[in-house]
Amino acid sequence: MITMKHVNKSYGNHQVLYDIQAAFEPGCVYGIVGENGAGKTTLFKCLLGLETYEGQVESKWQPLKDHLGWLPTESYFFPYMTGREYLQLVCNARKTELGDATEKNIFDLPLDEFAVHYSTGMKKKLALLGILLQPNEVFILDEPFNGVDIQSNILITEIILRLRSLGKTVLISSHIFSTLRDTCDEILLLQQGRITQKVAKADFDQLEREMKDVSIGDRVDRLLGGVHE
Amino acid sequence: MSDNQTLEHYFRLQKSLLERWIADIGLPVWAGYLLAVAAFLLGNLILFYKTDLAPYLLMLLGGLVLLSFNQPDKINFLQAVYPAPVFRKIRLLECLAPTLPFLLVLGWVQAFLPLLLLAGFAVLVAYSSGLRVSRIPLPTPFGSQPFEFLVGFRSTFIWLLAVHGLLAIGLITGNVNLGLFALMLVFATTLSYYGQPEDRYWVWLHNDRAEAFLWLKIKTAWRHSLMLAAPCALILMGFYPAYWYIVLAIVVIGLVYLSCFVLGKYLNYPQQMMVAQSIVLGVGLFMPLLLFWLLPFFYRKSVLKLKAILS
C-alpha cells in the first residue's frame, strides 16, 4: 500500500499540488483525471521520487522507486538503439533477466529496428513492454492509451486487469474516459492541484456526465455558432 | 517572406539558441565566444607543434565536428518545415559553418589536399541523405550493457573507420607514432560517449545505490573500451614489440581518463558539467598526476549528486 499524506509541491512561488491525501491499495487500479496542467504528472513524479515535496509518501516497499514501473507520457529513446537493446537496458537497470524477448513481444514490435524510428504507438508499446518485463509492484501509467491502435488498446486493458488480479497497484492517467471506466476501481479527480473527488466504480457514469457538463458547457456554441450556423 | 529573409531568420534563431546555451553553462556570451576561439587556436598550436600529421588530424577533427552537427531529427524537421531550395541552402551553410575554422587553418598552412577533402566531405554531407542514421543496426559487442558504448560506437562508426585507416597507414609506412596516435584517438573517441548526461529517468530506473551505480558505469566503460581498443593495441604490439610498454601506458592512461569522464558526467547531474569543472578536468588531462587527486574528488561529488535520485 502507498499512502500520500499532506503532500504539497511548489515550484518557487507557484504551488502545483495542495495537501494531497490518497491511499493506493494492492490489487486496485486508480484513475487520475484532470485537465492539462492540473498536476497529474507532478503528482506522479512525487510518488516516483523525482520531485522533492512537503509531506509524506509512505509505502511497505523500500525504497519505493525500486518497485515502481513508470510509463511516461512520452518516453525517450536513444538514437542507434534497437527495441531489443532498449528492453535489455531496462531489464539490466532492475537486475532482471530479459529472457526471450521475441516470446514476450506481445505487441509484435520490430525489435531489431531502431526504436527512434518506431511510430508513436509503437514507442508507447515498447516502453510499456519494458516496465512489464521488470518485477514491479506498482505501475504508474501516464496516458498508456495515447496513439495506440485499437487492438493494442484492448490488449493493454487486459494487461491492466491482469495486473490487478496479480495484486499489483496500478495508477493510470488518461484523457479517454472509457478506458478508465473499463479498468479502474476508483477515479481521483485532480483540479488545480487538489484532489476534489474520489469516485467509486458505481458512480463513474455520474462523474462522466459532470465532466462533460463542465468541459463542454457552451464552448462549442461559442466556437461554431456564429460561423457554421 | 523571401528565401533570404527566411534564411536570415533561421540563422538568427540559431545564434540566439547558441547564446542561450552559453548562458546556461554559466558564461557571459562574449566570454563563450572568446573561450571557443582561444581553445581552437591553442589546440591548433599544440597539434602543429606536436606532429607533422597535424593537417590530416585537423581534417579528421573537422569531419567529426561536422558529423556531430548532423542530427537526423533536426534534418527531418527542417526538410518538413522549409521549401526545398531553402532547406538545401540551410543544410549547405550548416555543414560549411562548423568546418570553416578548420578549412581556414588548412588554407593558412597550405595543406590543400586535406582542405579539399574536408570541403568536399562537407558538401557531400549537406547534399546526401545517406549519411543520416542508418536504418540497419550495426552489430556490436556491447549489447549486454546497451548504453553509452552501443550508441556511441554506432554514431562514431565512420570516424572509427577513419582512425583505423590511420593505424593501417602507420603500419604500412612503418610510422609507429601514427599507430600510437590512432590508439590514443580510439580512447579519445570513447571519452566523447560520456559527454552528455542522460535524462533523469535513465538513472532513476536503476535499483542500485549511487556508489554501486557509478562502479557499474566505470567497470562497463573499462570493459567496453578495452574491447574497442584491444585489436588496435594488439596489432601495434605485434608489429612493434619494442613499444609494448608505450602501448600499455596509453591503454592505462586511457582507462584513467575514461573513469574521469564517466564521473564527470554526473558531477553536476542532472545538469551538464560546469565550466569550472570542465577546466579542472581539462587541466587534469594534461597533468595525469593531478588525476589521482581528481578521481576521488569527482567520485565523491558524483555520488552526492546521484544520491538525490538513487538513495
Side-chain angles (χ1 to χ4, degrees):
Chain A
M1 178 167 169
I2 303 171
T3 314
M4 298 182 84
K5 290 181 179 171
H6 305 292
V7 170
N8 289 280
K9 172 66 192 172
S10 301
Y11 295 104
N13 292 328
H14 177 54
Q15 187 154 358
V16 182
L17 296 178
Y18 295 85
D19 196 31
I20 300 294
Q21 302 216 54
F24 305 111
E25 305 274 355
C28 289
V29 181
Y30 298 87
I32 314 284
V33 296
E35 294 179 350
N36 298 125
K40 300 185 292 290
T41 301
T42 307
L43 186 145
F44 287 157
K45 286 190 173 175
C46 289
L47 281 171
L48 296 161
L50 279 170
E51 293 286 0
T52 55
Y53 50 84
E54 289 172 23
Q56 286 174 298
V57 174
E58 294 174 353
S59 161
K60 68 173 182 177
W61 297 291
Q62 291 301 326
L64 176 59
K65 69 169 271 304
D66 291 352
H67 302 272
L68 279 171
W70 175 34
L71 177 72
T73 318
E74 281 184 42
S75 298
Y76 176 80
F77 296 95
F78 294 99
Y80 301 102
M81 190 178 279
T82 65
R84 191 182 302 276
E85 289 158 352
Y86 172 88
L87 294 177
Q88 182 71 60
L89 174 64
V90 166
C91 288
N92 286 357
R94 290 291 169 88
K95 310 247 181 316
T96 188
E97 286 291 320
L98 170 59
D100 184 356
T102 308
E103 171 70 21
K104 290 167 183 167
N105 179 16
I106 57 167
F107 295 114
D108 297 325
L109 296 165
L111 289 183
D112 294 315
E113 291 179 18
F114 288 136
V116 285
H117 294 145
Y118 284 12
S119 68
T120 308
M122 285 157 79
K123 284 179 180 168
K124 182 71 86 177
K125 288 187 266 186
L126 179 65
L128 179 61
L129 195 57
I131 59 168
L132 290 170
L133 292 174
Q134 299 173 330
N136 293 311
E137 293 299 330
V138 182
F139 292 87
I140 294 181
L141 312 178
D142 207 345
E143 300 291 349
F145 301 99
N146 262 18
V148 174
D149 56 58
I150 188 90
Q151 295 88 343
S152 302
N153 227 309
I154 295 165
L155 191 51
I156 293 171
T157 301
E158 264 322 291
I159 289 168
I160 292 169
L161 295 176
R162 180 69 70 88
L163 289 173
R164 177 173 62 183
S165 67
L166 289 168
K168 311 287 183 182
T169 306
V170 185
L171 276 69
I172 309 171
S173 149
S174 176
H175 293 294
I176 309 166
F177 198 89
S178 60
T179 58
L180 296 176
R181 190 171 38 214
D182 293 343
T183 52
C184 293
D185 298 293
E186 187 176 72
I187 293 177
L188 281 66
L189 183 59
L190 196 63
Q191 291 180 303
Q192 294 174 335
R194 292 181 170 86
I195 293 178
T196 53
Q197 286 190 61
K198 292 179 182 176
V199 183
K201 204 170 186 70
D203 299 320
F204 283 179
D205 289 340
Q206 172 66 23
L207 175 66
E208 189 178 14
R209 275 195 297 276
E210 282 176 22
M211 287 176 72
K212 270 186 182 169
D213 288 344
V214 173
S215 307
I216 299 172
D218 67 342
R219 285 181 168 88
V220 180
D221 291 334
R222 274 161 47 200
L223 175 66
L224 301 178
V227 182
H228 296 279
E229 288 173 9
Chain B
M1 195 182 267
S2 70
D3 283 3
N4 284 344
Q5 284 172 317
T6 309
L7 277 176
E8 189 186 331
H9 176 262
Y10 175 77
F11 283 105
R12 272 185 192 282
L13 187 64
Q14 298 308 304
K15 182 171 171 281
S16 301
L17 293 177
L18 174 67
E19 291 177 355
R20 280 177 209 158
W21 179 78
I22 295 171
D24 270 357
I25 58 172
L27 279 177
V29 172
W30 63 267
Y33 285 128
L34 192 68
L35 200 66
V37 172
F40 180 72
L41 291 177
L42 187 68
N44 271 288
L45 280 176
I46 294 170
L47 195 63
F48 279 90
Y49 177 71
K50 290 269 183 191
T51 171
D52 294 340
L53 293 159
Y56 287 93
L57 294 172
L58 203 61
M59 179 192 75
L60 282 177
L61 276 174
L64 188 64
V65 170
L66 171 61
L67 286 176
S68 71
F69 279 88
N70 198 45
Q71 299 157 346
D73 287 345
K74 186 180 166 188
I75 298 170
N76 289 340
F77 170 75
L78 293 176
Q79 195 162 19
V81 168
Y82 290 107
V86 178
F87 167 71
R88 283 291 164 217
K89 283 180 192 165
I90 288 176
R91 286 295 297 140
L92 189 60
L93 289 170
E94 280 198 330
C95 286
L96 286 174
T99 48
L100 192 62
F102 298 92
L103 295 174
L104 287 174
V105 174
L106 290 172
W108 177 263
V109 298
Q110 300 187 342
F112 296 116
L113 180 62
L115 185 150
L116 284 173
L117 286 172
L118 181 58
F121 185 59
V123 174
L124 182 73
V125 171
Y127 283 96
S128 163
S129 56
L131 285 167
R132 296 188 208 172
V133 179
S134 161
R135 284 190 172 261
I136 303 163
L138 210 62
T140 82
F142 312 121
S144 63
Q145 294 285 339
F147 194 8
E148 290 95 344
F149 265 77
L150 180 121
V151 172
F153 175 78
R154 285 182 179 149
S155 60
T156 56
F157 180 69
I158 296 172
W159 164 258
L160 285 170
L161 276 183
V163 169
H164 283 81
L166 275 185
L167 172 70
I169 293 170
L171 296 177
I172 292 164
T173 59
N175 187 339
V176 65
N177 288 331
L178 188 57
L180 294 172
F181 194 78
L183 179 60
M184 285 185 216
L185 283 181
V186 171
F187 274 103
T189 309
T190 65
L191 301 185
S192 74
Y193 301 166
Y194 291 86
Q196 287 285 333
E198 63 268 41
D199 186 86
R200 282 194 304 168
Y201 177 78
W202 291 102
V203 171
W204 173 88
L205 197 61
H206 287 76
N207 61 358
D208 285 311
R209 305 285 73 82
E211 294 86 348
F213 174 85
L214 276 177
W215 271 113
L216 180 69
K217 284 275 174 189
I218 291 171
K219 280 189 286 185
T220 305
W222 285 351
R223 195 171 70 247
H224 286 176
S225 61
L226 285 175
M227 285 158 85
L228 202 57
C232 193
L234 290 174
I235 288 170
L236 278 171
M237 282 185 179
F239 273 75
Y240 306 105
Y243 288 84
W244 68 269
Y245 60 96
I246 298 182
V247 172
L248 194 64
I250 291 172
V251 170
V252 171
I253 292 171
L255 292 178
V256 174
Y257 282 179
L258 192 57
S259 312
C260 273
F261 270 68
V262 174
L263 296 175
K265 185 164 124 170
Y266 301 104
L267 262 182
N268 195 31
Y269 194 77
Q271 309 298 322
Q272 280 193 323
M273 204 189 292
M274 288 191 289
V275 176
Q277 293 166 336
S278 312
I279 291 171
V280 171
L281 182 57
V283 172
L285 294 183
F286 286 99
M287 300 167 68
L289 283 179
L290 188 64
L291 294 178
F292 288 102
W293 174 78
L294 274 184
L295 270 172
F297 171 71
F298 277 16
Y299 178 76
R300 282 195 299 273
K301 275 287 268 183
S302 303
V303 165
L304 270 180
K305 286 289 178 185
L306 288 170
K307 272 188 172 169
I309 296 170
L310 288 174
S311 62

